[in-house]
Amino acid sequence: VPVFLFVAAPYIRRYVAGGRCKSTARLEGKVVIITGANTGIGKETARDLAQRGKCSARVIIACRDIAKGEAAASEIRAETRNQQVIVKKLDLADTKSIREFAEKFLAEEKELHILINNAGVMLCPYSKTADGFEMHLGVNHLGHFLLTFLLLERLKQCAPARIVNVSSLAHHGGRIRFHDLHGEKCYNRGLAYCHSKLANVLFTRELARRLQGKFQRQAEFTANALHPGSVYSELVRHSFVMTWLWKIFSFFLKTPCEGAQTSIYCAIAEELDSVTGQYFSDCQPAYVSPRGRDDKTAKKLWSVSCELLGIQWD
């Protein structure tokens, strides 16, 4: 058995790693926002996009922990020699912080070409955001919903542009429980994560539908969602059991760099220029659960999200 594992190990790792983004697209002059890019797959996505071209993209790491963000940005700047990797404060658990981030960004930056809604929380004990939203729903869905709303016009002005929403295979276990969105009647932190990831898929689907026909060419604006894979990262930090299991089975998990490949693919791959409203895994189209294809639920979620956030988004 040990000999077999030794021989098979490279093949197992290759399988676990999954698809890789093979695009050689260059991002000279482009401006990119990546939420939660101070660690994990967000950081690796920022690292990749920061080195595409001699005059590389301006990559904005939007995160809550400025110290960690600056450490990540400094590391990426040193490695890529791209001095346009910068950090801006963004707390997705607070709509005031989201609005302040967007206001400052729009005042300081004249362009935006790629928005990667990457940040997320997982398996949190029951808690609420500053605005009273259940934490998974508030951060993973509503926070990114509001951020996208506030930045959408700038993206439209700079088209061709892309929105990339990091969801998860966990969306298959999710339901949009309109009668108990904030888990006040019944709460399970594993299911709460699944519900929020389903919301990511439905948001992407409805956003793509609403953007269709708004441009001369559909290639000018796309929105897609993705599953990064099971990645060895800090995302499971709220669960002692999951943290323990992740360490034991780390050999069978993707590295953050491997997990970032589909995010990078959705952000830059030329073959996706006119592809929108889709869901990807391992740099290829993936199966979406029936609930993730329910247009009626997607429309209702959109309406309820706008109501909760106090915005009008037609």
Side-chain angles (χ1 to χ4, degrees):
V1 174
V3 173
F4 169 77
L5 291 176
F6 178 78
V7 173
Y11 301 97
I12 295 173
R13 276 303 313 157
R14 197 174 304 157
Y15 174 80
V16 169
R20 293 193 67 84
C21 178
K22 298 177 182 178
S23 172
T24 58
R26 299 163 72 86
L27 298 180
E28 282 97 345
K30 301 294 185 181
V31 178
V32 183
I33 291 177
I34 309 173
T35 66
N38 59 308
T39 187
I41 66 172
K43 179 180 175 182
E44 296 306 320
T45 302
R47 190 193 310 273
D48 182 282
L49 300 187
Q51 59 190 350
R52 288 182 174 268
K54 289 185 178 180
C55 298
S56 301
R58 184 170 175 80
V59 178
I60 296 170
I61 292 175
C63 61
R64 183 180 59 181
D65 191 324
I66 294 296
K68 285 187 177 180
E70 290 292 355
S74 178
E75 179 185 319
I76 294 170
R77 286 194 296 264
E79 181 179 321
T80 65
R81 298 185 181 180
N82 180 353
Q83 299 306 307
Q84 294 196 86
V85 179
I86 61 176
V87 180
K88 291 184 182 291
K89 173 79 171 180
L90 172 64
D91 184 354
L92 288 162
D94 186 346
T95 58
K96 181 181 178 182
S97 173
I98 298 169
R99 291 181 180 279
E100 288 177 351
F101 170 87
E103 183 179 348
K104 290 179 181 178
F105 173 85
L106 295 173
E108 297 170 0
E109 306 285 344
K110 302 306 177 186
E111 295 185 311
L112 177 60
H113 304 92
I114 301 171
L115 171 61
I116 303 179
N117 290 320
N118 163 83
V121 294
M122 180 180 180
L123 302 176
C124 298
Y126 189 76
S127 57
K128 290 187 175 182
T129 68
D131 302 273
F133 308 140
E134 186 277 316
M135 189 62 70
H136 292 89
L137 182 77
V139 172
N140 298 353
H141 169 60
L142 292 171
H144 283 127
F145 187 95
L146 178 60
L147 179 66
T148 304
F149 167 75
L150 295 171
L151 299 177
L152 191 67
E153 287 305 313
R154 184 57 49 85
L155 283 159
K156 287 181 179 179
Q157 293 166 9
C158 300
R162 297 188 186 190
I163 295 173
V164 179
N165 294 324
V166 179
S167 181
S168 170
L169 182 69
H171 86 271
H172 286 272
R175 290 180 59 194
I176 305 302
R177 304 169 67 249
F178 290 109
H179 65 286
D180 189 25
L181 272 179
H182 304 295
E184 294 169 328
K185 298 177 182 178
C186 179
Y187 180 75
N188 176 288
R189 56 184 180 174
L191 289 177
Y193 176 73
C194 295
H195 301 334
S196 70
K197 294 291 102 178
L198 174 59
N200 293 153
V201 173
L202 291 170
F203 168 44
T204 304
R205 187 178 182 88
E206 181 64 9
L207 176 60
R209 186 190 70 80
R210 287 169 177 261
L211 290 172
Q212 286 181 340
K214 298 291 180 68
F215 302 89
Q216 291 183 346
R217 295 179 299 111
Q218 186 54 55
E220 292 181 351
F221 206 121
T222 63
N224 290 298
L226 66 101
H227 166 55
S230 297
V231 182
Y232 187 65
S233 70
E234 297 178 8
L235 191 60
V236 297
R237 64 187 178 276
H238 293 291
S239 169
F240 171 78
V241 173
M242 289 297 291
T243 300
W244 181 68
L245 289 172
W246 246 228
K247 288 181 179 179
I248 291 176
F249 295 105
S250 60
F251 182 79
F252 300 98
L253 299 172
K254 290 185 178 184
T255 65
C257 180
E258 292 164 349
Q261 294 305 305
T262 307
S263 294
I264 298 165
Y265 176 75
C266 289
I268 66 170
E270 298 88 342
E271 61 265 34
L272 300 187
D273 278 348
S274 58
V275 176
T276 190
Q278 302 302 307
Y279 172 76
F280 295 86
S281 178
D282 282 328
C283 300
Q284 60 185 359
Y287 179 75
V288 178
S289 74
R291 290 193 181 105
R293 291 179 269 122
D294 188 330
D295 289 332
K296 183 178 179 180
T297 301
K299 292 175 183 177
K300 185 175 180 180
L301 178 63
W302 185 285
S303 177
V304 170
S305 298
C306 287
E307 184 178 337
L308 287 170
L309 293 165
I311 60 176
Q312 288 187 322
W313 190 355
D314 300 320

